Coordinates of all heavy atoms in Angstrom, one line a residue:
M1 N 69.3 0.0 -77.2 CA 69.8 1.1 -78.0 C 71.4 1.1 -77.8 O 71.9 1.0 -76.6 CB 69.3 2.5 -77.5 CG 67.9 2.7 -77.6 SD 67.2 4.2 -77.0 CE 67.5 4.1 -75.3
T2 N 72.0 1.2 -79.0 CA 73.4 1.1 -78.8 C 74.2 2.3 -79.4 O 75.4 2.5 -79.2 CB 74.1 -0.1 -79.6 OG1 73.5 0.0 -81.0 CG2 73.5 -1.4 -79.0
C3 N 73.5 3.2 -80.0 CA 74.1 4.4 -80.6 C 73.1 5.5 -80.7 O 72.0 5.4 -80.3 CB 74.6 4.1 -82.0 SG 73.3 3.8 -83.2
E4 N 73.6 6.7 -81.0 CA 72.7 7.9 -81.0 C 71.6 7.7 -82.1 O 70.6 8.3 -82.0 CB 73.6 9.1 -81.3 CG 74.4 9.4 -80.1 CD 74.8 10.8 -79.8 OE1 74.2 11.7 -80.5 OE2 75.7 11.0 -79.0
H5 N 72.0 7.0 -83.2 CA 70.9 6.8 -84.2 C 69.8 6.1 -83.7 O 68.7 6.3 -83.9 CB 71.6 6.0 -85.4 CG 70.7 5.7 -86.5 ND1 70.0 4.5 -86.5 CD2 70.1 6.4 -87.5 CE1 69.2 4.4 -87.6 NE2 69.2 5.6 -88.2
C6 N 70.1 5.0 -82.8 CA 69.2 4.3 -82.2 C 68.1 5.0 -81.2 O 67.0 5.0 -81.2 CB 69.8 3.1 -81.3 SG 70.7 1.9 -82.2
S7 N 68.9 5.9 -80.4 CA 68.2 6.7 -79.5 C 67.2 7.7 -80.2 O 66.1 8.0 -79.8 CB 69.0 7.4 -78.3 OG 69.9 8.3 -79.1
A8 N 67.7 8.2 -81.4 CA 66.9 9.2 -82.1 C 65.8 8.4 -82.6 O 64.7 9.1 -82.9 CB 67.8 9.8 -83.2
K9 N 65.9 7.2 -83.1 CA 64.8 6.4 -83.7 C 63.7 6.2 -82.6 O 62.5 6.3 -82.9 CB 65.3 5.1 -84.2 CG 64.8 4.7 -85.5 CD 65.6 3.6 -86.1 CE 64.5 2.6 -86.8 NZ 65.1 1.3 -87.2
V10 N 64.1 5.9 -81.4 CA 63.1 5.6 -80.3 C 62.5 7.0 -80.0 O 61.2 7.0 -79.9 CB 63.9 5.0 -79.2 CG1 63.0 5.1 -77.9 CG2 64.3 3.6 -79.4
Q11 N 63.2 8.0 -79.9 CA 62.6 9.3 -79.7 C 61.5 9.6 -80.6 O 60.5 9.9 -80.4 CB 63.6 10.4 -79.6 CG 63.1 11.8 -79.2 CD 64.0 12.7 -78.5 OE1 65.0 12.3 -78.0 NE2 63.6 13.9 -78.5
K12 N 61.9 9.4 -82.0 CA 61.0 9.9 -83.1 C 59.7 9.0 -83.0 O 58.5 9.5 -83.2 CB 61.6 9.6 -84.3 CG 60.7 10.1 -85.5 CD 61.6 10.1 -86.9 CE 60.8 10.6 -88.0 NZ 60.0 9.7 -88.7
A13 N 59.9 7.7 -82.7 CA 58.7 6.8 -82.6 C 57.8 7.2 -81.5 O 56.5 7.2 -81.6 CB 59.2 5.3 -82.4
L14 N 58.3 7.6 -80.3 CA 57.5 8.0 -79.2 C 56.9 9.4 -79.4 O 55.7 9.5 -79.1 CB 58.4 7.9 -77.9 CG 58.7 6.5 -77.5 CD1 59.8 6.7 -76.3 CD2 57.5 5.8 -77.0
E15 N 57.6 10.3 -80.0 CA 57.0 11.7 -80.3 C 55.9 11.5 -81.3 O 55.0 12.5 -81.2 CB 58.1 12.6 -80.8 CG 59.2 13.0 -79.8 CD 60.3 13.7 -80.4 OE1 60.6 13.7 -81.6 OE2 60.8 14.5 -79.5
E16 N 55.8 10.5 -82.1 CA 54.7 10.5 -83.0 C 53.3 10.1 -82.5 O 52.3 10.0 -83.1 CB 55.1 9.4 -84.2 CG 56.1 10.1 -85.0 CD 56.5 9.2 -86.1 OE1 56.2 7.9 -86.1 OE2 57.4 9.5 -86.9
I17 N 53.4 9.6 -81.2 CA 52.1 9.2 -80.4 C 51.4 10.5 -80.0 O 52.0 11.4 -79.4 CB 52.4 8.4 -79.2 CG1 53.2 7.1 -79.7 CG2 51.2 8.0 -78.4 CD1 53.7 6.3 -78.5
N18 N 50.2 10.6 -80.3 CA 49.3 11.8 -80.1 C 49.4 12.3 -78.6 O 49.4 13.5 -78.4 CB 47.9 11.7 -80.6 CG 47.9 11.7 -82.1 OD1 48.7 12.2 -82.7 ND2 46.8 11.0 -82.6
S19 N 49.3 11.4 -77.7 CA 49.2 11.7 -76.3 C 50.5 12.0 -75.6 O 50.4 12.5 -74.5 CB 48.5 10.6 -75.5 OG 49.2 9.4 -75.6
V20 N 51.6 12.0 -76.4 CA 53.0 12.3 -75.7 C 53.2 13.7 -76.0 O 53.1 14.2 -77.1 CB 54.0 11.4 -76.6 CG1 55.3 11.8 -76.0 CG2 53.9 9.9 -76.1
D21 N 53.6 14.4 -74.9 CA 53.9 15.7 -74.9 C 55.4 16.0 -75.0 O 56.0 16.8 -75.6 CB 53.5 16.6 -73.6 CG 51.9 16.6 -73.5 OD1 51.3 16.6 -74.6 OD2 51.4 16.7 -72.3
E22 N 56.2 15.1 -74.2 CA 57.7 15.3 -74.2 C 58.4 13.9 -74.1 O 57.9 13.0 -73.4 CB 58.1 16.1 -73.0 CG 59.6 16.5 -72.9 CD 59.9 17.4 -71.7 OE1 59.0 17.6 -70.9 OE2 61.0 17.8 -71.8
V23 N 59.4 13.8 -74.7 CA 60.3 12.5 -74.7 C 61.7 12.9 -74.5 O 62.3 13.8 -75.1 CB 60.2 11.8 -76.1 CG1 61.0 10.5 -76.0 CG2 58.8 11.4 -76.5
K24 N 62.4 12.2 -73.5 CA 63.7 12.3 -73.3 C 64.4 11.0 -73.4 O 63.9 10.1 -72.6 CB 64.0 13.0 -71.9 CG 63.5 14.4 -71.7 CD 63.9 15.0 -70.3 CE 63.3 16.4 -70.3 NZ 63.5 16.9 -68.9
V25 N 65.3 10.7 -74.2 CA 65.9 9.5 -74.4 C 67.4 9.5 -73.9 O 68.1 10.5 -74.3 CB 65.9 9.0 -75.8 CG1 66.6 7.7 -76.0 CG2 64.4 8.9 -76.3
S26 N 67.8 8.6 -72.9 CA 69.1 8.5 -72.5 C 69.9 7.3 -73.1 O 69.5 6.2 -72.7 CB 69.1 8.4 -70.9 OG 70.5 8.3 -70.5
L27 N 70.8 7.5 -73.9 CA 71.5 6.4 -74.4 C 72.3 5.6 -73.5 O 72.5 4.4 -73.4 CB 72.5 6.8 -75.7 CG 73.2 5.8 -76.3 CD1 72.4 4.7 -76.9 CD2 74.1 6.5 -77.4
F28 N 73.0 6.5 -72.6 CA 73.8 6.0 -71.5 C 73.0 5.2 -70.6 O 73.4 4.0 -70.2 CB 74.3 7.1 -70.7 CG 75.1 6.8 -69.5 CD1 76.4 6.1 -69.7 CD2 74.7 6.9 -68.2 CE1 77.1 5.8 -68.5 CE2 75.4 6.5 -67.0 CZ 76.6 5.9 -67.2
R29 N 71.8 5.4 -70.1 CA 70.9 4.7 -69.3 C 70.0 3.7 -70.1 O 69.4 2.9 -69.4 CB 70.0 5.6 -68.5 CG 70.8 6.4 -67.4 CD 69.9 7.2 -66.5 NE 70.7 7.8 -65.6 CZ 70.4 8.8 -64.9 NH1 69.2 9.4 -65.0 NH2 71.1 9.4 -64.0
K30 N 70.0 3.8 -71.4 CA 69.2 2.9 -72.2 C 67.6 3.1 -71.7 O 67.0 2.1 -71.5 CB 69.7 1.5 -72.3 CG 71.0 1.4 -72.8 CD 71.5 -0.1 -73.0 CE 72.8 -0.2 -73.5 NZ 73.3 0.6 -74.7
K31 N 67.4 4.3 -71.7 CA 66.0 4.5 -71.0 C 65.2 5.8 -71.7 O 66.0 6.7 -72.1 CB 66.1 4.9 -69.5 CG 64.9 5.2 -68.8 CD 65.2 5.5 -67.3 CE 64.0 5.7 -66.5 NZ 64.3 5.9 -65.1
A32 N 64.0 5.7 -71.9 CA 63.2 6.8 -72.4 C 62.2 7.2 -71.4 O 61.6 6.4 -70.8 CB 62.5 6.5 -73.8
T33 N 62.1 8.5 -71.2 CA 61.2 9.1 -70.3 C 60.2 9.9 -71.1 O 60.5 10.7 -72.0 CB 61.9 10.1 -69.2 OG1 62.9 9.3 -68.6 CG2 60.9 10.6 -68.2
V34 N 59.0 9.5 -70.8 CA 57.8 10.1 -71.7 C 56.9 10.9 -70.8 O 56.4 10.3 -69.7 CB 57.0 9.0 -72.5 CG1 55.9 9.6 -73.3 CG2 58.1 8.2 -73.2
S35 N 56.4 12.0 -71.1 CA 55.2 12.7 -70.5 C 54.1 13.1 -71.3 O 54.4 13.2 -72.6 CB 55.8 13.9 -69.6 OG 56.2 14.9 -70.6
G36 N 53.0 13.0 -70.8 CA 51.7 13.4 -71.5 C 50.5 13.0 -70.9 O 50.6 12.6 -69.7
E37 N 49.4 13.2 -71.5 CA 48.1 12.9 -71.0 C 47.6 11.5 -71.3 O 47.9 11.2 -72.5 CB 47.1 14.0 -71.5 CG 47.4 15.4 -71.0 CD 46.8 15.8 -69.7 OE1 45.8 15.2 -69.2 OE2 47.4 16.6 -69.1
D38 N 47.0 10.8 -70.4 CA 46.5 9.5 -70.8 C 47.4 8.6 -71.5 O 47.0 8.0 -72.6 CB 45.1 9.7 -71.6 CG 44.1 10.5 -70.9 OD1 44.0 10.3 -69.5 OD2 43.4 11.3 -71.4
L39 N 48.6 8.4 -71.1 CA 49.6 7.6 -71.8 C 49.1 6.1 -71.5 O 48.7 5.7 -70.4 CB 50.9 7.8 -71.2 CG 51.6 9.2 -71.4 CD1 52.8 9.4 -70.7 CD2 51.7 9.5 -72.9
N40 N 49.2 5.4 -72.6 CA 48.9 3.9 -72.5 C 50.2 3.1 -72.8 O 50.9 3.3 -73.8 CB 47.9 3.6 -73.7 CG 47.6 2.2 -73.7 OD1 48.4 1.3 -74.0 ND2 46.3 2.0 -73.6
D41 N 50.5 2.2 -71.8 CA 51.7 1.5 -71.8 C 51.8 0.7 -73.1 O 52.9 0.5 -73.6 CB 51.8 0.7 -70.6 CG 52.2 1.4 -69.3 OD1 52.3 2.6 -69.5 OD2 52.0 0.8 -68.2
E42 N 50.7 0.0 -73.4 CA 50.8 -0.8 -74.6 C 51.1 -0.1 -75.9 O 51.8 -0.6 -76.8 CB 49.5 -1.6 -74.8 CG 49.3 -2.6 -73.7 CD 50.4 -3.7 -73.5 OE1 50.8 -4.2 -74.7 OE2 50.9 -3.8 -72.4
I43 N 50.5 1.2 -76.1 CA 50.9 1.9 -77.2 C 52.3 2.4 -77.2 O 53.0 2.4 -78.2 CB 49.8 3.2 -77.3 CG1 48.5 2.7 -77.5 CG2 50.3 4.1 -78.3 CD1 47.4 3.8 -77.4
L44 N 52.8 2.6 -76.0 CA 54.3 3.2 -76.0 C 55.1 2.0 -76.3 O 56.0 2.1 -77.1 CB 54.6 3.6 -74.6 CG 53.8 4.9 -74.1 CD1 54.2 5.1 -72.6 CD2 54.2 6.1 -75.0
K45 N 54.8 0.8 -75.7 CA 55.5 -0.5 -76.0 C 55.6 -0.8 -77.4 O 56.5 -1.1 -78.1 CB 55.1 -1.5 -75.2 CG 55.8 -2.9 -75.2 CD 55.4 -3.9 -74.3 CE 56.1 -5.2 -74.4 NZ 55.7 -6.2 -73.5
K46 N 54.4 -0.8 -78.1 CA 54.2 -1.0 -79.5 C 55.0 -0.1 -80.3 O 55.7 -0.6 -81.3 CB 52.8 -1.0 -80.0 CG 52.6 -1.4 -81.4 CD 51.2 -1.5 -81.7 CE 50.8 -1.9 -83.2 NZ 51.8 -2.1 -84.2
A47 N 55.1 1.2 -80.1 CA 55.8 2.2 -80.8 C 57.3 1.8 -80.8 O 57.9 1.9 -81.9 CB 55.6 3.6 -80.2
V48 N 57.8 1.5 -79.6 CA 59.3 1.2 -79.5 C 59.6 -0.2 -80.2 O 60.6 -0.3 -81.0 CB 59.7 1.1 -78.1 CG1 61.1 0.6 -77.9 CG2 59.6 2.5 -77.4
T49 N 58.6 -1.2 -80.0 CA 58.9 -2.5 -80.7 C 58.8 -2.3 -82.2 O 59.6 -2.9 -82.9 CB 57.8 -3.5 -80.2 OG1 57.8 -3.5 -78.7 CG2 58.0 -4.8 -80.7
D50 N 57.8 -1.6 -82.7 CA 57.7 -1.3 -84.1 C 59.0 -0.6 -84.7 O 59.3 -0.8 -85.9 CB 56.5 -0.7 -84.4 CG 55.2 -1.3 -84.3 OD1 55.3 -2.6 -84.0 OD2 54.1 -0.8 -84.4
A51 N 59.6 0.1 -83.9 CA 60.8 0.8 -84.3 C 62.0 0.0 -84.3 O 63.0 0.2 -84.9 CB 61.1 2.1 -83.4
G52 N 61.9 -1.3 -83.8 CA 62.9 -2.4 -83.9 C 63.7 -2.5 -82.6 O 64.7 -3.2 -82.5
Y53 N 63.0 -2.1 -81.4 CA 63.8 -2.2 -80.1 C 62.9 -3.0 -79.2 O 61.8 -3.1 -79.3 CB 64.1 -0.8 -79.7 CG 65.0 -0.1 -80.6 CD1 64.5 0.7 -81.6 CD2 66.4 -0.3 -80.7 CE1 65.2 1.4 -82.5 CE2 67.1 0.2 -81.7 CZ 66.5 1.1 -82.6 OH 67.3 1.7 -83.5
K54 N 63.6 -3.5 -78.1 CA 63.0 -4.3 -77.2 C 62.7 -3.4 -75.9 O 63.6 -2.7 -75.4 CB 63.8 -5.4 -76.8 CG 63.3 -6.4 -75.7 CD 64.2 -7.4 -75.3 CE 63.7 -8.4 -74.3 NZ 64.6 -9.5 -74.0
V55 N 61.5 -3.6 -75.3 CA 61.0 -2.9 -74.1 C 61.3 -3.8 -73.0 O 60.8 -4.8 -73.0 CB 59.7 -2.4 -74.1 CG1 59.2 -1.9 -72.9 CG2 59.4 -1.4 -75.2
T56 N 62.1 -3.5 -72.0 CA 62.5 -4.4 -71.0 C 61.7 -4.0 -69.7 O 61.3 -4.9 -68.8 CB 63.9 -4.3 -70.5 OG1 64.3 -3.0 -70.2 CG2 64.9 -4.8 -71.7
S57 N 61.2 -2.8 -69.5 CA 60.3 -2.5 -68.4 C 59.6 -1.1 -68.7 O 60.2 -0.2 -69.4 CB 61.0 -2.5 -67.1 OG 61.9 -1.4 -67.0
I58 N 58.5 -0.9 -68.0 CA 57.8 0.4 -68.1 C 57.5 0.7 -66.5 O 56.9 -0.1 -65.9 CB 56.6 0.4 -68.8 CG1 56.8 -0.1 -70.4 CG2 55.7 1.6 -68.7 CD1 55.5 -0.1 -71.1
E59 N 58.0 1.8 -66.2 CA 57.9 2.3 -64.8 C 56.9 3.4 -64.7 O 56.6 4.2 -65.6 CB 59.2 2.8 -64.3 CG 60.3 1.7 -64.2 CD 61.7 2.3 -64.0 OE1 61.7 3.4 -63.5 OE2 62.7 1.6 -64.1

């Protein structure tokens, strides 16, 4: 993510996942924090990748 438009796109992609309750995206840290029930790493990764961004790690 290089701009606020990028971070907004990532946030929107993650918010559209049914099991996601809350998303916080930090452009400065180039990191998205997600909370929710039964989160699936592959679904999260696919949402970000489909939005046009690369996932470097999931913690």
